[in-house]
Amino acid sequence: MNFSTANEQTIISGILHAMSITEKDLADDFREAISKTNRNGLPSAVWARRSDDLVDQFKQFYNIEVFHISRSRLWQIEPIFNRATGDLYLLFTDTNLARVKRKYLSKGFSTHYLPSFLLKNSDLLPIEENMELLPFDKEAVKKNDWKRQKDIEKMIGKDAENVKKVITVSVSYHENEAIAALLKEYTSDFELSKETDVSYMLKTTYSGDNIMDDKDTPSYESVQSLVTLKRSENISNK
């Protein structure tokens, strides 16, 4: 295999290819291999398939590594690391990202891996000051940051010092179809610093295990039309 370097657009395209995989793409396989009457475990199976897809997308690029990090006996995450830039990409559904942020802002701390990784974004500035954060004294902040750093080291070992910035990739779904995607950069206090709409790069249908191809990437106009259609359907059904 000839190895090459992946740029940011290639990385985002690969991530969105994997994130376009949903339960509808695995339902038949799950019924055949696991259970015809019970769907327990199907959401986890979707993330497992996404993991394999990410490895396939990036195996040809020497600067990209897909981390496989166990957070519990039953849960694993797959951050994407660009060794050339130090950027680490974390994958989320829009609902889960909102849930993690809401819990962090309500308590001022969290055991979730995202706030730990956001320690790497201490140099980022918020778009606007967030007044929801609870005040903490310097000693409490120092202690919490130490815990976050140790969590990062536990997750990615020696690469902890190589991560320069953390970027979240947030994907929205409608009826098991990816319809919108945002890149979000948060400060270490979970305040929004930058947001970029990359919905135009989404594959609106999953085509099995084929590797991404630029010609398959839908246009911005087609994705916006799909989003508008789905929103209209939601309104008419209320």
Side-chain angles (χ1 to χ4, degrees):
M1 177 182 294
N2 294 323
F3 290 93
S4 57
T5 303
N7 57 28
E8 183 179 34
Q9 182 170 358
T10 302
I11 295 171
I12 301 306
S13 294
I15 289 174
L16 295 184
H17 183 279
M19 292 298 284
S20 294
I21 301 172
T22 65
E23 291 185 8
K24 65 180 175 58
D25 302 303
L26 272 72
D28 290 342
D29 290 343
F30 189 87
R31 280 194 295 268
E32 183 67 26
I34 306 299
S35 175
K36 293 179 173 59
T37 59
N38 191 308
R39 292 168 59 90
N40 289 349
L42 181 55
S44 295
V46 170
W47 280 103
R49 179 66 64 85
R50 288 172 180 169
S51 174
D52 289 348
D53 190 71
L54 289 168
V55 171
D56 287 340
Q57 297 302 314
F58 298 121
K59 63 185 178 183
Q60 61 184 309
F61 303 111
Y62 69 85
N63 63 311
I64 305 301
E65 181 168 352
V66 181
F67 290 133
H68 305 290
I69 303 171
S70 296
R71 292 297 288 176
S72 70
R73 289 195 312 112
L74 301 175
W75 191 248
Q76 178 175 300
I77 62 173
E78 272 74 27
I80 312 304
F81 185 43
N82 184 349
R83 293 191 176 279
T85 63
D87 291 343
L88 184 74
Y89 298 86
L90 303 177
L91 285 54
F92 288 90
T93 65
D94 61 334
T95 53
N96 193 38
L97 179 58
R99 186 181 303 114
V100 172
K101 181 178 180 179
R102 183 169 60 251
K103 287 185 177 179
Y104 177 83
L105 293 178
S106 66
K107 296 181 179 180
F109 68 93
S110 174
T111 58
H112 193 274
Y113 66 88
L114 177 53
S116 291
F117 274 127
L118 289 182
L119 182 64
K120 290 293 183 176
N121 289 356
S122 58
D123 292 336
L124 297 185
L125 298 175
I127 294 176
E128 57 184 27
E129 186 175 356
N130 193 328
M131 302 304 294
E132 296 182 75
L133 290 174
L134 297 175
F136 281 87
D137 60 54
K138 291 183 179 180
E139 283 302 315
V141 171
K142 184 177 180 180
K143 182 178 181 180
N144 188 44
D145 286 352
W146 181 84
K147 290 182 179 179
R148 294 162 79 183
Q149 177 62 30
K150 290 302 178 182
D151 193 27
I152 296 173
E153 294 173 0
K154 180 180 179 181
M155 287 188 285
I156 58 176
K158 58 182 176 56
D159 279 312
E161 62 184 34
N162 298 323
V163 175
K164 307 303 180 185
K165 184 170 65 175
V166 172
I167 302 167
T168 65
V169 183
S170 170
V171 180
S172 301
Y173 297 88
H174 175 78
E175 295 182 350
N176 274 314
E177 187 171 308
I179 61 171
L182 296 172
L183 301 185
K184 295 186 178 184
E185 297 178 18
Y186 291 102
T187 70
S188 59
D189 289 325
F190 227 137
E191 298 168 289
L192 185 63
S193 178
K194 182 180 179 181
E195 182 177 283
T196 305
D197 190 335
V198 291
S199 301
Y200 68 95
M201 299 176 68
L202 268 172
K203 291 175 67 67
T204 55
T205 57
Y206 173 58
S207 55
D209 296 320
N210 294 331
I211 302 303
M212 61 189 174
D213 191 321
D214 288 343
K215 68 177 181 295
D216 293 328
T217 303
S219 66
Y220 177 83
E221 290 77 10
S222 65
V223 172
Q224 293 304 306
S225 297
L226 176 62
V227 174
T228 300
L229 175 62
K230 297 302 184 184
R231 288 173 177 168
S232 298
E233 291 175 352
N234 283 340
I235 293 173
S236 63
N237 290 332
K238 290 182 178 179

